[in-house]
Amino acid sequence: MSILVVIYVLNFVDRNIISILAEDIKADLGLRDDQIGFLYGTAFGVFYALFGIPLGKLADSWHRVRLMTVGLTVWSAFTALSGFAKNFAMLSVARIGVGVGEATASPSAYSLISDWFPKKMRATALAIYSSGLYIGGGVSLLIGGAIVERWNAAYPTDAPMGLAGWQAAFIIVGLPGILLAFLVFTLREPLRGESEGIVTPPPKDPFRGFLRELVAVIPPFTLIGAAQAGGRGIALNLVGAAVIFGIAYAMAVVTGNAQQWGAIGIGYYAIFSWASTLKRRDEATFKLIWGTPAFLTTILGYGMVAFMSYAATFWAAPYAIRILEEAPSTAGWWIGGPGAVAGFLGVILGGRMADWLRERNPAGRLIMVAFGLTAAAPPLFVMFTTNDPTTFYIAAFLQSLFGSSALGGAAATTQDLVLPRMRGTATATFFLATTLVGLALGPYMAGQVSTMTESLSTGGLSLLVAVPIGLVLLFVAYRSVPEAERTLVERARAAGEEVSTGDSPA
C-alpha cells in the first residue's frame, strides 16, 4: 500500500508540476491562458481517459503489478522528455505521452486494493491510496518553484544544454519514476476477487481483450467495431460522430480554439464508440456500468467536484504569481505544502467518514461527495476575489481540504456497483468523468474565460457553475444506489453473467 501511495505521488508530481511552471512556459513559448489550460487538462486528460479503457480491461485480465511497472516507466520518461520541448506542439505530444502512461496506474491500483482489503474498509483504503494525489500535487509546486528559481539564478545565461528552468524541472522530476519501477515490480499479485470469496480465474489470452478495446476506442478503427454490428451499427456510429463533431466544431468557432474542441470531439466520439461496442461484446459489464443510472450519476456528480478541484489546483499558482505578485518559490511553498496536508487530511477523513455513513445508510457515501462539492465552493470564491496573499493561501487550503473529502466515497461506490472482474473497467469509466468532464473541461474553461475577459479572477469564478449541476446528479445517485447495489448479482445474471458463488457481494 505504501508503494502504491508513492506511485500515485509521482503520478501527480509529473501531472501537476506544469501549474507552477505555467507562467515561465507561457512567457518562453508565447502561449495564452487557454493554451496553458489545454496542456494541463485536455492534452493530458483526453488520452489518459481513452487509453484508460483498454488499459482498464488489461488490468482486469493481466498481471496488474507488471502493468503498473510498464506504465510508470512510460509516463516518467515522457515527463523528462517534456523538458526538451521547444514549442507548443512538442509539449503537447509529451503531455499526451504522460497521459497514456498514467492511465495504467489507477485501474491497476483500484483493482489490487479491492482484492487486498475487505468491503467494509474499501473507501478508507482507496482514500489512503488517493492521498497520493494531494501529496503529489503539493510536492510538485514545492519542487517546481524551487527548481525554476534556483536554476534561473544559477544559469542566467549559458545554461547546460540551453535548458530554461522550467525545462530542467520536468527532467528532474521525471527521472526518479524510472528508478521506482524496479521496486514496483516486486509487489505481490493477489487472487482476483479473493477479498469477497468470488475468486475469478485469469483469462487464457489476456491481451486479446486489450487489443479489442484498443481498436474500439481509436478512430477511425472504431468503424471496424461498428461494422461488426451490421449496417445499423455503422449508421449509429456515423450519426453519433456527426452530432459530436458538429458540436465540437461549433464550440471551436465560438472560442477560436480548434485544438481544444478537436481533442474533446475525438475523446467523446471514442467513448461513444467504445460504449456501443461494449454493449455487444460484454452485455453484463455494459448493463452494470453504462446501463445503471446509479453508476452514471455517481461518476458525473463526482466529475463536477473534479471540475472545480482540478481547475482551482492548477490556476492557484498562476493567480498567486500573476495577480498577487508572489515569487514562484513562495507560491509553491504556501500553496503546495499546506495543499498537500489539506488534501491528505481531507481524503483520509472523508473516506473514513464515507465508510461510517455507509454502515448506517446504503447511500451514505454520497453524502460525503455532496459535502465535498458544496463546502469547497465558498473558499474557491474567496481564492479568486482576494488581493491579500494570506487570505488567498488560507482559502486555497480550505478548498483543497473540502474538495478532497469527496473522492473516497465516490470511488468506493463505483466499485460496489460492479462484479470483481469488472473493477478495472469500472475504474476506467470512473476516470472518464474525472478527466473528460473534470480535467479536460475545468482548467481549460477557466483559462478560456480568463483569455476572453482578460481576468483570471473571472475565469476562476466561472468554475462555480459546477455546484448546482453536481447536486442534481448526486441527488439522483443517492436515490438509486441502494436498489442498484441490492440487485447487482440479479441484474448481472439477467445479462448472462455466471456468478459462481452462493453469497451476494453485498
Side-chain angles (χ1 to χ4, degrees), residues 240-297:
V243 172
I244 292 169
F245 284 108
I247 295 173
Y249 176 78
M251 292 301 298
V253 171
V254 170
T255 62
N257 196 319
Q259 68 266 17
Q260 164 70 19
W261 295 105
I264 290 291
I266 291 171
Y268 279 74
Y269 165 69
I271 300 311
F272 170 77
S273 299
W274 169 70
S276 300
T277 303
L278 181 66
K279 182 178 181 180
R280 180 175 52 81
R281 290 177 175 173
D282 189 347
E283 185 177 359
T285 299
F286 179 86
K287 285 285 182 67
L288 296 185
I289 295 177
W290 292 98
T292 303
F295 190 99
L296 294 179
T297 51

Side-chain angles (χ1 to χ4, degrees), residues 29 31 35 38-39 43 85-96:
L29 301 184
L31 305 183
Q35 291 177 306
F38 170 83
L39 286 172
K86 299 296 183 181
N87 52 51
F88 177 72
M90 292 177 66
L91 191 52
S92 296
V93 171
R95 291 292 293 174
I96 289 171

Side-chain angles (χ1 to χ4, degrees), residues 21-279:
L21 308 179
E23 293 299 292
D24 286 64
I25 295 172
K26 182 181 176 182
D28 204 12
L29 301 184
L31 305 183
R32 306 183 306 269
D33 278 350
D34 58 318
Q35 291 177 306
I36 291 291
F38 170 83
L39 286 172
Y40 174 74
T42 313
F44 171 92
V46 167
F47 292 90
Y48 175 84
L50 294 190
F51 279 86
I53 295 168
L55 290 169
K57 183 66 175 178
L58 192 57
D60 281 337
S61 58
W62 191 49
H63 198 286
R64 291 160 286 185
V65 170
R66 293 175 187 170
L67 180 60
M68 293 188 74
T69 302
V70 173
L72 174 58
T73 303
V74 169
W75 90 61
S76 298
F78 272 101
T79 299
L81 288 173
S82 300
F84 296 98
K86 299 296 183 181
N87 52 51
F88 177 72
M90 292 177 66
L91 191 52
S92 296
V93 171
R95 291 292 293 174
I96 289 171
V98 175
V100 173
E102 291 197 6
T104 62
S106 287
S108 300
Y110 275 45
S111 184
L112 286 168
I113 290 169
S114 293
D115 284 333
W116 281 332
F117 295 91
K119 191 170 190 175
K120 66 180 181 179
M121 298 174 61
R122 195 164 290 155
T124 302
L126 288 172
I128 292 172
Y129 166 72
S130 299
S131 67
L133 182 164
Y134 303 99
I135 298 172
V139 169
S140 70
L141 301 182
L142 292 170
I143 295 176
I147 292 174
V148 165
E149 284 199 5
R150 294 181 182 181
W151 184 275
N152 290 338
Y155 304 106
T157 58
D158 299 323
M161 301 176 66
L163 298 174
W166 64 267
Q167 294 175 305
F170 275 124
I171 296 170
I172 291 171
V173 302
L175 295 178
I178 299 175
L179 300 177
L180 179 63
F182 292 99
L183 178 61
V184 174
F185 191 72
T186 66
L187 293 177
R188 179 181 72 87
E189 178 78 13
L191 289 174
R192 204 176 298 271
E194 69 176 346
S195 67
E196 293 172 329
I198 312 177
V199 177
T200 305
K204 295 181 180 180
D205 187 0
F207 288 94
R208 176 178 297 177
F210 165 72
L211 293 173
R212 187 172 59 189
E213 299 299 330
L214 189 66
V215 171
V217 300
I218 298 181
F221 298 112
T222 47
L223 292 173
I224 297 175
Q228 294 175 352
R232 182 181 178 185
I234 294 178
L236 178 64
N237 189 276
L238 292 176
V239 169
V243 172
I244 292 169
F245 284 108
I247 295 173
Y249 176 78
M251 292 301 298
V253 171
V254 170
T255 62
N257 196 319
Q259 68 266 17
Q260 164 70 19
W261 295 105
I264 290 291
I266 291 171
Y268 279 74
Y269 165 69
I271 300 311
F272 170 77
S273 299
W274 169 70
S276 300
T277 303
L278 181 66
K279 182 178 181 180

Side-chain angles (χ1 to χ4, degrees), residues 347-380:
V347 75
I348 299 299
L349 295 176
R352 185 67 195 94
M353 180 59 69
D355 278 339
W356 183 84
L357 290 168
R358 172 64 176 78
E359 293 174 0
R360 291 154 179 79
N361 180 347
R365 286 173 175 155
L366 294 172
I367 296 174
M368 281 307 303
V369 183
F371 172 82
L373 176 68
T374 55
L380 185 145

